[in-house]
Amino acid sequence: MFRTALRNVLAHKGRLLMTMLAVMLGTAFVAGTLVFTDTMGQALRTQNSKSYADIAVTVSDSEAVGRGYDHGGRAAAGPTLTEDTRRKLVALPGAADVRGVVSGFAGIADHKGALIGNGFSTTGTNYVPGADGTDPRYPLVAGRGPKDAGEIALDTRTAEKGGFKVGDTVRVAVNGPVMRLKLTGTLHTNDPRVTAGGSLAAFDTATAQQLYLSPGRFAELDVKAEPGTDDTALLAAVRQALPQGDNLEAKTGRELADEQDRMIAQGTKILSTFLMGFAAIALFVGVFIIANTFSMLVAQRTRELALLRAVGATRRQITRSVKVEAALVGLTASVAGLLTGIGIALGLKALLNGPMDANLPDGPLVIAPTTVLAAIAVGVLVTLVAAWLPARRASRIAPVAAMSSSEQPATQKSLRLRNTVGLLFSLAGAAALAAGASGKEVKLVGLGAGALLIGVFVLTPLLSRPLIALFAPLLRAVYGTPGKLARENAVRNPRRTAATASALTIGVTLITSLTVVGASVNKAVDDSTSSDLKADYTVAMQNFSDLSPEVAAQIAKAPGVSAMSTERSVPVTIDRGQGRGAGDGENEFLTAVDAATIDQLATVRVREGSADALEQGKLLVSSGRSEQARYQVGDVLAVTYPDGSKGSLTVGGVLEANTALAPVLAPEAVVGPHAQPGSGLEKVLVKGTNGATEQLKQALRDATGGNPLIAVKGEKDIKAESRQAVTNILNMMYGLLGMSVVIAVLGVVNTMAMSVFERRREIGMLRAIGLDRLGIRRMVRLESLLIALFGGLVGVGLGILVAWAGVRTMADDLKGITTVVPPLQIVCFLLAAAGIGLLAALWPAHRAAKLDILDAIRSE
């Protein structure tokens, strides 16, 4: 039976080609994901180990690290790392050198004033020259390092992007006005924030301290050990030498490297899991193709299998024979998929380092044994699972009955059982979907969507006849006999049609649901921005760090500004005693705003209490925060401010949901004086005398000193930014789902090609009674078109239903969100499905039209 299975695979290799391609593409996705993430993870770990190679012990100031990136310049609450601390550590036995580190954000503007790199990775740090005048951490490529406040050095990639050369003037900013500094040199760095698309600006140490912390203060001290020194012993000595404080922490370089390795491993695992989800979708689509192919092969070999039964083969041997065929197909395709996946990983790395300029670290290609085993095992198992039902069906062929028939029709009992199972799954899925939507339970919606999809797939043969019949009048009227024949062929074998269409349905369902959710989110953001925000412009940092407090005063002086309000986050501790069991010492973030102007800049709708609460020195709380924290109008809250002072605040009103306002609003005049000294601003809201004009926008840019890190956004900008973010996510999802669509196309091609082979005699008879080659081609194309449209219609319907449930779960997070079905895009999806059907039928239709009439009639 093994030799029989091998002979069958070799005899039908042409008909199995599309199945092999489907398995190959699915396993290539799996292998490519594993190879790419393993390669990237190994390269990042190698780079990480190099970063800590010369560091024996690191001492960090948690307060300073945070402030370096929000540029607060606030006074320290605990002990700090100073030059005196650095000298103490240098004097320790075994310490060769100690490097003081200061870091934060630094935006570099190109010659047009635009930010170079992304806002989150615009890194600023201090350049620490050694005895030879160079910093070993940042090797010089050209020029020299900065020596005073008027100088700067840049990484080579940033200098190239900006077109800067040594000696040029570079416009640099942190959270205030732009500084014009002389470029003294270019550097090399392997900082992952920079290599991932950011930028590096190196200042002299005194300037970096002034910009990010305070004079003489470091965020980190890196201790280099003398040869032969034990890092653990040096760590103990460092801890003894440090001033006592919870904000200072010392670790060995090896410990930090291990922590970074764990973070890298976690990040690559998340990426791998994400990509594997789409690989699973592609393989799931392939299951339909494999099952369909083996079902057709079993049907075409009915007499052969009957003969084997007649000469003594048992049912188990017949089943085993089909499974062996499937295993051989899966093994061959998996090996090819593994090799293709390695090529995909290489191509993806080249793409990211080339056109996408991701600058991933160099490293050898990592092909782990587990990757090889996983790719092959997945391919073989998926093929075997998909071929299980056809194998069982083959074993049940009765020898005598099969000898007189080329294909055994499905029994009414099996169809009833299938429809019953499908109906139960569909009802359970619909119920779970509705319950999840009403209860805003994402997991329940996911389970319901999965059960509903399975139920509809099982019911697809039942649905195919009435849905395809909808097109019958049009086909007869426009295409005549070929149209009528195409319709009859499409519904002749509902199971085959269902399996072929279902592969396409999966992709269309997911794409439709993503599109509807994206359109719904865009509409909700647009509506809330229009209704909730009255300000003509918002001014904030692009990287969400704090604005310098001086920016507000500069904006207030800008021409054309009629009203403005700052927003400042003030963390407080609330003590409500025994009131309503809320507990003591609750942390809360108050957003300080200008009580006199906020109603001109945002829509303030009060559900309970007074709209004038802020001007009365009281709090306004959003309805969501009120329910969550159980705040009620009239509650008196005992608060402890960041400066240590205590006071009391009264809840004066509960606001209706508003996306433009923070959960808890407080008057700036009341809580602002108690904020941490030098604390920055989250944003500034601005209203113009003449509304939103380009003149006002430019005036605000000028008022902020042309800082490339500061974004001035109007209503249109906010909407466009949101739409672009959604579009980017959708495009990425569409690209990842593209593999499953390609596999679905292969399934349609495979089904149509095998169907043509199966119906050779029928096609020969049609030709003999007068249907010309054009009619044959048209018949095959229309049949493929009907199957694809059927899959597209079912997919669109399921996608809209799943999206509706998903949108309902977002109601608490996005104000006023409703399900929006974009008609143009839905029509485009159906047209794309139709195009797929026509494209997939080109080769089968051509093959059918070329059949020789006499040979076809004589065929068995």
Side-chain angles (χ1 to χ4, degrees):
M1 294 305 294
F2 176 79
R3 289 196 300 271
T4 301
L6 181 60
R7 178 184 61 80
N8 285 329
V9 171
L10 296 176
H12 302 122
K13 53 183 178 294
R15 286 179 251 173
L16 290 168
L17 178 62
M18 297 298 174
T19 300
M20 291 183 178
L21 283 174
V23 179
M24 185 197 76
L25 290 174
T27 53
F29 205 147
V30 173
T33 296
L34 293 175
V35 171
F36 175 72
T37 52
D38 286 348
T39 299
M40 184 175 67
Q42 181 61 45
L44 289 173
R45 286 191 292 272
T46 301
Q47 183 186 67
N48 179 56
S49 64
K50 291 179 181 178
S51 299
Y52 291 98
D54 295 333
I55 300 176
V57 176
T58 289
V59 182
S60 60
D61 180 348
S62 59
E63 291 182 359
V65 170
R67 290 169 192 170
Y69 285 91
D70 63 20
H71 316 302
R74 309 161 201 160
T80 61
L81 300 176
T82 63
E83 182 61 26
D84 288 340
T85 312
R86 193 189 73 81
R87 291 196 188 100
K88 286 181 182 179
L89 299 186
V90 171
L92 291 175
D97 190 22
V98 178
R99 176 192 179 93
V101 179
V102 185
S103 59
F105 288 113
I108 313 298
D110 62 17
H111 292 295
K112 296 181 179 179
L115 179 68
I116 299 176
N118 59 66
F120 299 97
S121 301
T122 50
T123 306
T125 190
N126 59 319
Y127 187 82
V128 185
D132 61 353
T134 64
D135 187 340
R137 188 168 185 175
Y138 301 111
L140 283 168
V141 177
R144 62 172 176 81
K147 294 182 179 179
D148 56 47
E151 296 179 343
I152 192 175
L154 300 177
D155 68 282
T156 54
R157 295 177 73 240
T158 300
E160 290 173 2
K161 288 180 180 179
F164 298 123
K165 296 180 181 179
V166 174
D168 288 351
T169 298
V170 180
R171 300 174 70 240
V172 188
V174 286
N175 63 341
V178 169
M179 302 173 289
R180 298 179 182 273
L181 307 177
K182 180 182 178 181
L183 181 63
T184 62
T186 56
L187 315 167
H188 172 74
T189 178
N190 57 7
D191 188 325
R193 292 171 297 180
V194 181
T195 57
S199 61
L200 175 69
F203 307 92
D204 69 284
T205 298
T207 301
Q209 290 173 332
Q210 184 66 41
L211 288 172
Y212 299 126
L213 296 171
S214 56
R217 187 178 179 188
F218 297 104
E220 184 179 296
L221 293 176
D222 294 335
V223 183
K224 182 178 180 180
E226 293 179 347
T229 302
D230 180 68
D231 290 353
T232 305
L234 183 58
L235 173 64
V238 167
R239 286 174 173 167
Q240 287 291 328
L242 289 175
Q244 297 301 310
D246 294 337
N247 60 304
L248 300 183
E249 184 179 22
K251 293 183 179 180
T252 65
R254 184 66 265 165
E255 288 176 327
L256 291 174
D258 290 342
E259 288 179 6
Q260 290 295 319
D261 283 349
R262 285 192 290 271
M263 293 176 63
I264 291 170
Q266 184 179 7
T268 54
K269 182 179 179 181
I270 292 172
L271 175 62
S272 178
T273 303
F274 176 74
L275 293 176
M276 280 297 185
F278 290 91
I281 293 171
L283 288 167
F284 186 57
V285 172
V287 166
F288 290 93
I289 299 173
I290 299 165
N292 213 14
T293 301
F294 277 94
S295 294
M296 295 179 73
L297 285 175
V298 167
Q300 291 170 13
R301 288 162 41 206
T302 301
R303 291 189 178 183
E304 174 189 330
L305 295 172
L307 181 59
L308 289 173
R309 291 292 312 282
V311 297
T314 64
R315 287 187 174 183
R316 180 175 295 180
Q317 286 177 312
I318 296 295
T319 302
R320 191 181 300 157
S321 173
V322 177
K323 288 182 179 179
V324 168
E325 291 180 43
L328 291 173
V329 169
L331 180 61
T332 304
S334 298
V335 172
L338 174 63
L339 298 176
T340 305
I342 294 171
I344 290 174
L346 287 171
L348 185 58
K349 185 178 179 182
L351 175 67
L352 292 173
N353 280 335
M356 299 186 68
D357 199 28
N359 199 29
L360 295 177
D362 293 328
L365 197 66
V366 178
I367 307 174
T370 52
T371 299
V372 177
L373 293 175
I376 294 176
V378 165
V380 173
L381 286 175
V382 166
T383 310
L384 284 173
V385 169
W388 180 72
L389 281 176
R392 282 175 55 84
R393 197 173 297 128
S395 69
R396 292 178 179 177
I397 295 175
V400 175
M403 291 289 286
S404 60
S405 175
S406 61
E407 182 174 353
Q408 295 297 306
T411 64
Q412 290 298 317
K413 180 181 178 181
S414 66
L415 289 175
R416 282 196 300 269
L417 177 61
R418 176 172 182 150
N419 293 337
T420 301
V421 171
L423 184 61
L424 291 175
F425 265 98
S426 298
L427 291 175
L433 208 64
S438 61
K440 300 178 180 60
E441 294 288 339
V442 177
K443 291 183 178 180
L444 191 56
V445 167
L447 290 173
L452 182 61
L453 285 172
I454 294 173
V456 170
F457 290 157
V458 175
L459 286 174
T460 305
L462 182 66
L463 299 173
S464 63
R465 192 176 294 273
L467 287 178
I468 290 177
L470 294 175
F471 299 97
L474 179 63
L475 292 176
R476 283 198 299 267
V478 177
Y479 297 105
T481 301
K484 181 181 179 180
L485 291 171
R487 184 262 177 190
E488 292 178 354
N489 288 336
V491 298
R492 178 187 299 181
N493 191 327
R495 286 186 173 183
R496 182 184 304 170
T497 298
T500 307
S502 295
L504 186 60
T505 297
I506 297 171
V508 176
T509 298
L510 294 172
I511 290 173
T512 300
S513 60
L514 288 172
T515 302
V516 172
V517 169
S520 303
V521 170
N522 281 334
K523 181 68 165 51
V525 171
D526 286 353
D527 290 347
S528 61
T529 301
S530 299
S531 63
D532 295 344
L533 186 67
K534 291 182 180 180
D536 294 317
Y537 292 102
T538 63
V539 182
M541 297 288 286
Q542 291 193 52
N543 51 25
F544 300 108
S545 60
D546 286 349
L547 280 166
S548 171
E550 289 78 15
V551 170
Q554 294 164 348
I555 290 175
K557 298 176 184 177
V561 175
S562 63
M564 62 164 283
S565 174
T566 60
E567 288 191 10
R568 182 207 308 262
S569 181
V570 180
V572 298
T573 302
I574 296 177
D575 182 359
R576 292 198 283 185
Q578 304 302 316
R580 294 190 304 280
D584 302 333
E586 301 171 4
N587 295 322
E588 184 65 88
F589 285 91
L590 309 180
T591 299
V593 297
D594 189 329
T597 60
I598 190 64
D599 61 337
Q600 302 176 49
L601 302 163
T603 302
V604 181
R605 288 185 290 266
V606 177
R607 179 180 294 180
E608 300 176 42
S610 172
D612 299 325
L614 290 176
E615 295 189 71
Q616 297 168 6
K618 299 178 181 179
L619 302 178
L620 283 178
V621 183
S622 70
S623 56
R625 186 61 185 147
S626 173
E627 293 174 4
Q628 183 182 20
R630 287 180 286 180
Y631 292 137
Q632 294 181 6
V633 175
D635 283 355
V636 178
L637 309 178
V639 299
T640 303
Y641 292 107
D643 62 358
S645 61
K646 297 181 181 294
S648 62
L649 293 170
T650 303
V651 177
V654 176
L655 295 171
E656 292 185 8
N658 188 310
T659 56
L661 296 175
V664 183
L665 299 180
E668 169 69 27
V670 174
V671 303
H674 301 293
Q676 290 177 326
S679 62
L681 309 174
E682 289 186 4
K683 67 175 70 169
V684 180
L685 302 177
V686 180
K687 187 79 173 175
T689 304
N690 299 316
T693 63
E694 283 300 319
Q695 291 80 6
L696 176 59
K697 192 172 187 179
Q698 187 59 49
L700 294 176
R701 289 198 186 106
D702 295 339
T704 57
N707 189 330
L709 274 173
I710 297 179
V712 179
K713 299 177 184 177
E715 181 180 319
K716 291 182 179 179
D717 300 317
I718 295 172
K719 291 179 179 179
E721 189 177 75
S722 172
R723 285 184 173 274
Q724 187 59 49
V726 172
T727 299
N728 290 340
I729 293 173
L730 289 179
N731 288 340
M732 180 182 65
M733 295 293 188
Y734 292 158
L736 292 171
L737 288 171
M739 185 71 77
S740 62
V741 175
V742 170
I743 294 175
V745 172
L746 293 177
V748 179
V749 174
N750 196 36
T751 298
M752 297 310 301
M754 295 184 70
S755 180
V756 166
F757 177 84
E758 191 176 76
R759 301 201 306 259
R760 284 179 302 169
R761 175 178 289 185
E762 177 186 319
I763 293 171
M765 292 296 296
L766 290 172
R767 288 292 314 283
I769 61 176
L771 190 61
D772 59 11
R773 289 183 174 181
L774 178 61
I776 294 294
R777 279 197 294 268
R778 184 170 292 169
M779 176 188 72
V780 176
R781 290 172 185 167
L782 290 175
E783 179 184 351
S784 178
L785 174 64
L786 285 172
I787 293 173
L789 278 175
F790 168 58
L793 283 171
V794 175
V796 164
L798 285 173
I800 293 173
L801 183 59
V802 171
W804 166 80
V807 166
R808 289 290 301 272
T809 64
M810 302 180 188
D812 291 339
D813 300 316
L814 275 176
K815 173 193 168 186
I817 188 169
T818 56
T819 304
V820 177
V821 180
L824 181 60
Q825 288 172 284
I826 297 300
V827 170
C828 287
F829 294 155
L830 291 176
L831 291 177
I836 287 172
L838 292 174
L839 179 66
L842 288 179
W843 177 60
H846 175 76
R847 185 180 178 189
K850 290 293 184 180
L851 287 176
D852 182 87
I853 297 175
L854 295 179
D855 288 343
I857 293 174
R858 285 199 306 266
S859 66
E860 290 294 334

